[in-house]
PDB file of all heavy atoms in Angstrom:
ATOM      1  N   PRO A  72       0.839  -1.197   0.000  1.00 80.00           N
ATOM      2  CA  PRO A  72       0.000   0.000   0.000  1.00 80.00           C
ATOM      3  C   PRO A  72       0.874   1.247   0.000  1.00 80.00           C
ATOM      4  O   PRO A  72       1.904   1.301   0.673  1.00 80.00           O
ATOM      5  CB  PRO A  72      -0.791  -0.123   1.311  1.00 80.00           C
ATOM      6  CG  PRO A  72      -0.791  -1.586   1.609  1.00 80.00           C
ATOM      7  CD  PRO A  72       0.522  -2.089   1.121  1.00 80.00           C
ATOM      8  N   SER A  73       0.470   2.245  -0.732  1.00 73.00           N
ATOM      9  CA  SER A  73       1.309   3.426  -0.888  1.00 73.00           C
ATOM     10  C   SER A  73       1.306   4.327   0.334  1.00 73.00           C
ATOM     11  O   SER A  73       2.234   5.107   0.527  1.00 73.00           O
ATOM     12  CB  SER A  73       0.834   4.230  -2.105  1.00 73.00           C
ATOM     13  OG  SER A  73       0.994   3.478  -3.286  1.00 73.00           O
ATOM     14  N   PHE A  74       0.263   4.247   1.183  1.00 81.00           N
ATOM     15  CA  PHE A  74       0.124   5.276   2.210  1.00 81.00           C
ATOM     16  C   PHE A  74      -0.042   4.734   3.624  1.00 81.00           C
ATOM     17  O   PHE A  74       0.338   5.385   4.571  1.00 81.00           O
ATOM     18  CB  PHE A  74      -1.085   6.169   1.888  1.00 81.00           C
ATOM     19  CG  PHE A  74      -1.171   6.546   0.443  1.00 81.00           C
ATOM     20  CD1 PHE A  74      -2.240   6.158  -0.333  1.00 81.00           C
ATOM     21  CD2 PHE A  74      -0.160   7.277  -0.159  1.00 81.00           C
ATOM     22  CE1 PHE A  74      -2.316   6.495  -1.675  1.00 81.00           C
ATOM     23  CE2 PHE A  74      -0.224   7.628  -1.496  1.00 81.00           C
ATOM     24  CZ  PHE A  74      -1.307   7.228  -2.261  1.00 81.00           C
ATOM     25  N   GLN A  75      -0.637   3.581   3.838  1.00 88.00           N
ATOM     26  CA  GLN A  75      -1.050   3.141   5.164  1.00 88.00           C
ATOM     27  C   GLN A  75      -0.877   1.622   5.249  1.00 88.00           C
ATOM     28  O   GLN A  75      -1.834   0.882   5.345  1.00 88.00           O
ATOM     29  CB  GLN A  75      -2.521   3.534   5.393  1.00 88.00           C
ATOM     30  CG  GLN A  75      -3.050   3.374   6.802  1.00 88.00           C
ATOM     31  CD  GLN A  75      -4.557   3.556   6.839  1.00 88.00           C
ATOM     32  OE1 GLN A  75      -5.281   3.053   5.992  1.00 88.00           O
ATOM     33  NE2 GLN A  75      -5.050   4.261   7.834  1.00 88.00           N
ATOM     34  N   GLY A  76       0.386   1.153   5.222  1.00 92.00           N
ATOM     35  CA  GLY A  76       0.574  -0.280   5.076  1.00 92.00           C
ATOM     36  C   GLY A  76       1.469  -0.965   6.072  1.00 92.00           C
ATOM     37  O   GLY A  76       1.645  -2.179   5.988  1.00 92.00           O
ATOM     38  N   LEU A  77       2.063  -0.261   7.039  1.00 96.00           N
ATOM     39  CA  LEU A  77       2.980  -0.870   8.000  1.00 96.00           C
ATOM     40  C   LEU A  77       2.579  -0.432   9.404  1.00 96.00           C
ATOM     41  O   LEU A  77       2.407   0.767   9.656  1.00 96.00           O
ATOM     42  CB  LEU A  77       4.418  -0.447   7.711  1.00 96.00           C
ATOM     43  CG  LEU A  77       5.498  -1.059   8.602  1.00 96.00           C
ATOM     44  CD1 LEU A  77       5.630  -2.555   8.356  1.00 96.00           C
ATOM     45  CD2 LEU A  77       6.833  -0.361   8.379  1.00 96.00           C
ATOM     46  N   LEU A  78       2.455  -1.410  10.331  1.00 95.00           N
ATOM     47  CA  LEU A  78       1.992  -1.118  11.686  1.00 95.00           C
ATOM     48  C   LEU A  78       2.809  -1.901  12.700  1.00 95.00           C
ATOM     49  O   LEU A  78       3.310  -2.991  12.399  1.00 95.00           O
ATOM     50  CB  LEU A  78       0.521  -1.513  11.848  1.00 95.00           C
ATOM     51  CG  LEU A  78      -0.510  -0.785  11.001  1.00 95.00           C
ATOM     52  CD1 LEU A  78      -1.866  -1.439  11.175  1.00 95.00           C
ATOM     53  CD2 LEU A  78      -0.580   0.688  11.373  1.00 95.00           C
ATOM     54  N   PRO A  79       2.932  -1.382  13.940  1.00 94.00           N
ATOM     55  CA  PRO A  79       3.487  -2.214  15.008  1.00 94.00           C
ATOM     56  C   PRO A  79       2.557  -3.400  15.261  1.00 94.00           C
ATOM     57  O   PRO A  79       1.331  -3.254  15.238  1.00 94.00           O
ATOM     58  CB  PRO A  79       3.506  -1.265  16.214  1.00 94.00           C
ATOM     59  CG  PRO A  79       3.332   0.104  15.655  1.00 94.00           C
ATOM     60  CD  PRO A  79       2.559  -0.033  14.393  1.00 94.00           C
ATOM     61  N   ALA A  80       3.134  -4.562  15.485  1.00 93.00           N
ATOM     62  CA  ALA A  80       2.341  -5.771  15.690  1.00 93.00           C
ATOM     63  C   ALA A  80       2.190  -6.074  17.164  1.00 93.00           C
ATOM     64  O   ALA A  80       3.038  -5.717  17.986  1.00 93.00           O
ATOM     65  CB  ALA A  80       2.989  -6.962  14.973  1.00 93.00           C
ATOM     66  N   THR A  81       1.121  -6.752  17.511  1.00 83.00           N
ATOM     67  CA  THR A  81       0.919  -7.217  18.875  1.00 83.00           C
ATOM     68  C   THR A  81       2.052  -8.166  19.248  1.00 83.00           C
ATOM     69  O   THR A  81       2.357  -9.095  18.517  1.00 83.00           O
ATOM     70  CB  THR A  81      -0.430  -7.941  18.996  1.00 83.00           C
ATOM     71  OG1 THR A  81      -1.475  -7.050  18.582  1.00 83.00           O
ATOM     72  CG2 THR A  81      -0.678  -8.401  20.412  1.00 83.00           C
ATOM     73  N   GLY A  82       2.702  -7.916  20.377  1.00 86.00           N
ATOM     74  CA  GLY A  82       3.801  -8.775  20.788  1.00 86.00           C
ATOM     75  C   GLY A  82       5.143  -8.374  20.236  1.00 86.00           C
ATOM     76  O   GLY A  82       6.136  -9.073  20.457  1.00 86.00           O
ATOM     77  N   GLY A  83       5.233  -7.245  19.517  1.00 92.00           N
ATOM     78  CA  GLY A  83       6.496  -6.786  18.969  1.00 92.00           C
ATOM     79  C   GLY A  83       6.634  -7.077  17.500  1.00 92.00           C
ATOM     80  O   GLY A  83       5.931  -7.905  16.928  1.00 92.00           O
ATOM     81  N   GLY A  84       7.566  -6.413  16.852  1.00 95.00           N
ATOM     82  CA  GLY A  84       7.744  -6.565  15.411  1.00 95.00           C
ATOM     83  C   GLY A  84       6.725  -5.747  14.646  1.00 95.00           C
ATOM     84  O   GLY A  84       6.140  -4.783  15.162  1.00 95.00           O
ATOM     85  N   TYR A  85       6.448  -6.162  13.401  1.00 96.00           N
ATOM     86  CA  TYR A  85       5.637  -5.355  12.499  1.00 96.00           C
ATOM     87  C   TYR A  85       4.716  -6.242  11.677  1.00 96.00           C
ATOM     88  O   TYR A  85       4.987  -7.420  11.442  1.00 96.00           O
ATOM     89  CB  TYR A  85       6.530  -4.543  11.547  1.00 96.00           C
ATOM     90  CG  TYR A  85       7.672  -3.873  12.256  1.00 96.00           C
ATOM     91  CD1 TYR A  85       8.962  -4.405  12.215  1.00 96.00           C
ATOM     92  CD2 TYR A  85       7.455  -2.726  13.015  1.00 96.00           C
ATOM     93  CE1 TYR A  85      10.006  -3.806  12.900  1.00 96.00           C
ATOM     94  CE2 TYR A  85       8.497  -2.123  13.704  1.00 96.00           C
ATOM     95  CZ  TYR A  85       9.766  -2.668  13.640  1.00 96.00           C
ATOM     96  OH  TYR A  85      10.794  -2.076  14.334  1.00 96.00           O
ATOM     97  N   ALA A  86       3.610  -5.633  11.230  1.00 97.00           N
ATOM     98  CA  ALA A  86       2.705  -6.254  10.263  1.00 97.00           C
ATOM     99  C   ALA A  86       2.626  -5.333   9.052  1.00 97.00           C
ATOM    100  O   ALA A  86       2.575  -4.105   9.204  1.00 97.00           O
ATOM    101  CB  ALA A  86       1.330  -6.479  10.866  1.00 97.00           C
ATOM    102  N   MET A  87       2.621  -5.903   7.859  1.00 96.00           N
ATOM    103  CA  MET A  87       2.604  -5.103   6.634  1.00 96.00           C
ATOM    104  C   MET A  87       1.614  -5.704   5.645  1.00 96.00           C
ATOM    105  O   MET A  87       1.666  -6.899   5.348  1.00 96.00           O
ATOM    106  CB  MET A  87       3.994  -5.051   6.002  1.00 96.00           C
ATOM    107  CG  MET A  87       4.066  -4.190   4.742  1.00 96.00           C
ATOM    108  SD  MET A  87       5.770  -4.000   4.119  1.00 96.00           S
ATOM    109  CE  MET A  87       6.082  -5.659   3.467  1.00 96.00           C
ATOM    110  N   ALA A  88       0.713  -4.875   5.160  1.00 96.00           N
ATOM    111  CA  ALA A  88      -0.206  -5.288   4.113  1.00 96.00           C
ATOM    112  C   ALA A  88       0.471  -5.180   2.763  1.00 96.00           C
ATOM    113  O   ALA A  88       1.463  -4.462   2.599  1.00 96.00           O
ATOM    114  CB  ALA A  88      -1.467  -4.439   4.147  1.00 96.00           C
ATOM    115  N   GLY A  89      -0.062  -5.876   1.780  1.00 93.00           N
ATOM    116  CA  GLY A  89       0.487  -5.813   0.443  1.00 93.00           C
ATOM    117  C   GLY A  89      -0.432  -6.480  -0.556  1.00 93.00           C
ATOM    118  O   GLY A  89      -1.532  -6.928  -0.219  1.00 93.00           O
ATOM    119  N   THR A  90       0.026  -6.539  -1.792  1.00 94.00           N
ATOM    120  CA  THR A  90      -0.735  -7.144  -2.881  1.00 94.00           C
ATOM    121  C   THR A  90       0.190  -8.001  -3.721  1.00 94.00           C
ATOM    122  O   THR A  90       1.315  -7.587  -4.029  1.00 94.00           O
ATOM    123  CB  THR A  90      -1.371  -6.055  -3.760  1.00 94.00           C
ATOM    124  OG1 THR A  90      -2.294  -5.291  -2.980  1.00 94.00           O
ATOM    125  CG2 THR A  90      -2.111  -6.668  -4.953  1.00 94.00           C
ATOM    126  N   ALA A  91      -0.279  -9.184  -4.078  1.00 93.00           N
ATOM    127  CA  ALA A  91       0.425 -10.045  -5.017  1.00 93.00           C
ATOM    128  C   ALA A  91      -0.228  -9.911  -6.384  1.00 93.00           C
ATOM    129  O   ALA A  91      -1.456  -9.968  -6.497  1.00 93.00           O
ATOM    130  CB  ALA A  91       0.381 -11.498  -4.557  1.00 93.00           C
ATOM    131  N   LEU A  92       0.584  -9.737  -7.423  1.00 91.00           N
ATOM    132  CA  LEU A  92       0.095  -9.610  -8.784  1.00 91.00           C
ATOM    133  C   LEU A  92       0.743 -10.703  -9.623  1.00 91.00           C
ATOM    134  O   LEU A  92       1.966 -10.747  -9.767  1.00 91.00           O
ATOM    135  CB  LEU A  92       0.427  -8.242  -9.362  1.00 91.00           C
ATOM    136  CG  LEU A  92       0.024  -7.981 -10.823  1.00 91.00           C
ATOM    137  CD1 LEU A  92      -1.479  -8.091 -10.986  1.00 91.00           C
ATOM    138  CD2 LEU A  92       0.521  -6.618 -11.279  1.00 91.00           C
ATOM    139  N   GLY A  93      -0.068 -11.587 -10.169  1.00 87.00           N
ATOM    140  CA  GLY A  93       0.439 -12.683 -10.982  1.00 87.00           C
ATOM    141  C   GLY A  93      -0.628 -13.742 -11.141  1.00 87.00           C
ATOM    142  O   GLY A  93      -1.603 -13.795 -10.388  1.00 87.00           O
ATOM    143  N   GLY A  94      -0.447 -14.604 -12.120  1.00 78.00           N
ATOM    144  CA  GLY A  94      -1.416 -15.668 -12.337  1.00 78.00           C
ATOM    145  C   GLY A  94      -2.760 -15.177 -12.815  1.00 78.00           C
ATOM    146  O   GLY A  94      -3.789 -15.818 -12.565  1.00 78.00           O
ATOM    147  N   GLY A  95      -2.789 -14.026 -13.480  1.00 78.00           N
ATOM    148  CA  GLY A  95      -4.038 -13.528 -14.041  1.00 78.00           C
ATOM    149  C   GLY A  95      -4.881 -12.708 -13.093  1.00 78.00           C
ATOM    150  O   GLY A  95      -6.034 -12.401 -13.419  1.00 78.00           O
ATOM    151  N   GLY A  96      -4.362 -12.351 -11.921  1.00 86.00           N
ATOM    152  CA  GLY A  96      -5.151 -11.546 -10.988  1.00 86.00           C
ATOM    153  C   GLY A  96      -4.287 -10.954  -9.905  1.00 86.00           C
ATOM    154  O   GLY A  96      -3.055 -11.040  -9.931  1.00 86.00           O
ATOM    155  N   SER A  97      -4.934 -10.340  -8.936  1.00 92.00           N
ATOM    156  CA  SER A  97      -4.234  -9.766  -7.793  1.00 92.00           C
ATOM    157  C   SER A  97      -5.025 -10.087  -6.535  1.00 92.00           C
ATOM    158  O   SER A  97      -6.253 -10.248  -6.572  1.00 92.00           O
ATOM    159  CB  SER A  97      -4.061  -8.256  -7.957  1.00 92.00           C
ATOM    160  OG  SER A  97      -5.326  -7.611  -7.978  1.00 92.00           O
ATOM    161  N   TYR A  98      -4.324 -10.136  -5.391  1.00 94.00           N
ATOM    162  CA  TYR A  98      -4.999 -10.464  -4.142  1.00 94.00           C
ATOM    163  C   TYR A  98      -4.201  -9.906  -2.979  1.00 94.00           C
ATOM    164  O   TYR A  98      -2.994  -9.648  -3.076  1.00 94.00           O
ATOM    165  CB  TYR A  98      -5.189 -11.975  -3.986  1.00 94.00           C
ATOM    166  CG  TYR A  98      -3.961 -12.803  -4.276  1.00 94.00           C
ATOM    167  CD1 TYR A  98      -3.063 -13.139  -3.267  1.00 94.00           C
ATOM    168  CD2 TYR A  98      -3.693 -13.252  -5.562  1.00 94.00           C
ATOM    169  CE1 TYR A  98      -1.931 -13.892  -3.532  1.00 94.00           C
ATOM    170  CE2 TYR A  98      -2.570 -14.007  -5.842  1.00 94.00           C
ATOM    171  CZ  TYR A  98      -1.694 -14.328  -4.816  1.00 94.00           C
ATOM    172  OH  TYR A  98      -0.565 -15.069  -5.085  1.00 94.00           O
ATOM    173  N   ALA A  99      -4.891  -9.706  -1.859  1.00 95.00           N
ATOM    174  CA  ALA A  99      -4.304  -9.078  -0.685  1.00 95.00           C
ATOM    175  C   ALA A  99      -3.353 -10.026   0.033  1.00 95.00           C
ATOM    176  O   ALA A  99      -3.541 -11.256   0.038  1.00 95.00           O
ATOM    177  CB  ALA A  99      -5.408  -8.635   0.267  1.00 95.00           C
TER     178      ALA A  99
END
């Protein structure tokens, strides 16, 4: 995500959203 995609995770570390593009489509 271009604007709002990285957050502190519960228990430490990080969570990051994203998108996979391939195989004829895209998915979260």
